[in-house]
Amino acid sequence: MRIFVTGGAGYIGSVCVEQLLDAGHQVTVFDNLTEGHKSAVDPRAKFVKDDLANAEGVKKAMAASKAEAVMHFGANALVGESVQNPSKYFRNNVANGVNLLDAMVACGVPKIIFSSTCATFGNPVKIPIAEDHPQQPLNPYGLSKLMFEQILHWYEVAHGLKHVILRYFNAAGCTEKFGEHHRIETHLIPNILFVALGKKPHLEIFGTDYDTPDGTCIRDYIHILDLAQAHMLALKREESSIYNLGNGDGSSVKQVLHACLKVTGKDIPVVEKPRRPGDASNMIAASHKAEREMGWKPKHPRIDEIVASAWKWHVAHPDGYPD
């Protein structure tokens, strides 16, 4: 198929583009490079540097691509920043997303795979978290993703636009060529590996008194390759659907740290700090629906395997991408 990928120069987008191309699809990457990296775009893809805020630019690029489906990764995704600057998040993640949908309608593109998040749920009331769990986001980032999920419903009502919403839990790991390089890194695994690489003096653990076996937060880490596989399977879905994507098992902060110590063989000093406001103690996905309806099952569920893939990429790219 011909796939139009927004945010294809970012962490998850770049790996999905690689996997799409390996599977024989034709890909156009549309990215403004404010968070992504030009060298993270697979050279086999056609690259268009432009912004979703440019409605005519999106429409022109989509028409030229002759896209048969869209994968939408382009978004701002820093929770703390979203609280401080909600305008940026509602403008980019919601309003600019509407420009993308309008371009799809204008160009007759029938389907979108949307990169959503477990942040739409807020604090869990039941573990593991299934698709029908109440959605009560705690920040503008989570709310912006939920709003776009709701907008997709109404574009289907009005225009017949099909959607598959994929709610990620904690994306992690790397492929041999493509990895995780954020301007501001908030994710646990790369931050631990930065200490092992000597780029940070210590790891900060926020909260050791949670109601978990070792007192630290538990998260459901999912390998980036497993996420990419879910996107490929979603292309085959004929009806609109929503899926939570995780391993269905969690690792605590201390368990992730232990895996990093084992994989790297490096000393990783730790500084324990108080809890951060808004951090849930336990976020684990129920992904039975994705397995049942798409035949999706994670192939790389072990935290040490996820960490090892990330470590290999970071060792090869200690300063991340060059641009």
Side-chain angles (χ1 to χ4, degrees):
M1 294 177 68
R2 294 182 297 274
I3 315 295
F4 189 88
V5 179
T6 71
Y11 170 43
I12 300 171
S14 64
V15 173
C16 283
V17 167
E18 176 190 35
Q19 299 302 304
L20 284 168
L21 290 162
D22 286 351
H25 298 289
Q26 297 175 43
V27 178
T28 297
V29 170
F30 187 95
D31 199 301
N32 63 12
L33 298 183
T34 57
E35 299 292 344
H37 305 272
K38 178 64 170 67
S39 50
V41 179
D42 194 301
R44 296 171 292 172
K46 180 184 177 183
F47 176 64
V48 178
K49 184 184 177 185
D50 206 336
D51 198 298
L52 289 173
N54 178 10
E56 285 306 312
V58 183
K59 195 184 301 181
K60 180 181 176 183
M62 191 173 295
S65 75
K66 297 182 170 59
E68 298 167 89
V70 167
M71 286 190 181
H72 181 32
F73 300 96
N76 294 113
L78 296 174
V79 168
E81 182 187 55
S82 79
V83 175
Q84 296 164 354
N85 187 3
S87 172
K88 177 179 179 179
Y89 280 70
F90 295 126
R91 199 174 303 280
N92 192 34
N93 295 3
V94 182
N96 292 350
V98 170
N99 289 342
L100 176 67
L101 297 180
D102 287 344
M104 291 179 66
V105 172
C107 296
V109 183
K111 179 187 293 184
I112 182 170
I113 315 300
F114 174 50
S115 168
S116 192
T117 171
C118 63
T120 65
F121 295 116
N123 284 322
V125 296
K126 184 179 179 184
I127 298 291
I129 300 170
E131 287 78 7
D132 60 356
H133 185 284
Q135 290 180 285
Q136 298 171 318
L138 301 174
N139 49 68
Y141 165 63
L143 179 56
S144 71
K145 289 287 194 174
L146 175 57
M147 290 170 71
F148 196 74
E149 288 188 8
Q150 295 168 334
I151 288 167
L152 288 173
H153 164 75
W154 290 109
Y155 266 71
E156 179 170 22
V157 171
H159 305 291
L161 190 67
K162 299 295 183 184
H163 59 263
V164 179
I165 295 167
L166 301 177
R167 297 189 188 124
Y168 314 156
F169 277 61
N170 287 65
C174 304
T175 67
E176 190 171 326
K177 295 179 182 176
F178 300 105
E180 189 167 11
H181 176 189
H182 296 114
R183 181 175 54 84
I184 299 173
E185 188 55 78
T186 59
H187 292 166
L188 177 63
I189 291 173
N191 276 319
I192 298 176
L193 298 181
F194 290 162
V195 181
L197 286 166
K199 297 174 70 69
K200 290 182 68 173
H202 57 259
L203 171 69
E204 295 181 340
I205 293 180
F206 296 95
T208 56
D209 59 347
Y210 285 96
D211 184 20
T212 60
D214 65 21
T216 62
C217 289
I218 292 173
R219 295 292 181 266
D220 191 337
Y221 294 91
I222 176 168
H223 198 293
I224 196 81
L225 280 171
D226 289 325
L227 279 182
Q229 182 63 24
H231 284 76
M232 308 257 255
L233 292 169
L235 284 172
K236 301 175 183 178
R237 292 289 302 166
E238 295 183 1
E239 297 302 318
S240 293
S241 309
I242 301 174
Y243 300 106
N244 291 356
L245 300 179
N247 286 312
D249 190 17
S251 299
S252 72
V253 174
K254 287 184 177 178
Q255 286 174 324
V256 175
L257 172 60
H258 179 75
C260 290
L261 288 165
K262 180 181 171 185
V263 166
T264 67
K266 304 285 187 179
D267 185 36
I268 302 174
V270 171
V271 175
E272 295 184 355
K273 294 199 163 185
R275 295 185 186 193
R276 293 179 299 196
D279 273 351
S281 64
N282 195 343
M283 295 284 285
I284 296 176
S287 298
H288 311 298
K289 185 182 177 189
E291 182 176 355
R292 185 173 67 249
E293 295 187 4
M294 292 199 296
W296 177 79
K297 196 171 179 65
K299 296 177 181 176
H300 311 279
R302 291 177 22 241
I303 191 64
D304 55 346
E305 184 181 359
I306 292 171
V307 166
S309 72
W311 178 239
K312 185 176 180 180
W313 189 85
H314 283 289
V315 168
H317 306 84
D319 297 315
Y321 292 108
D323 58 353

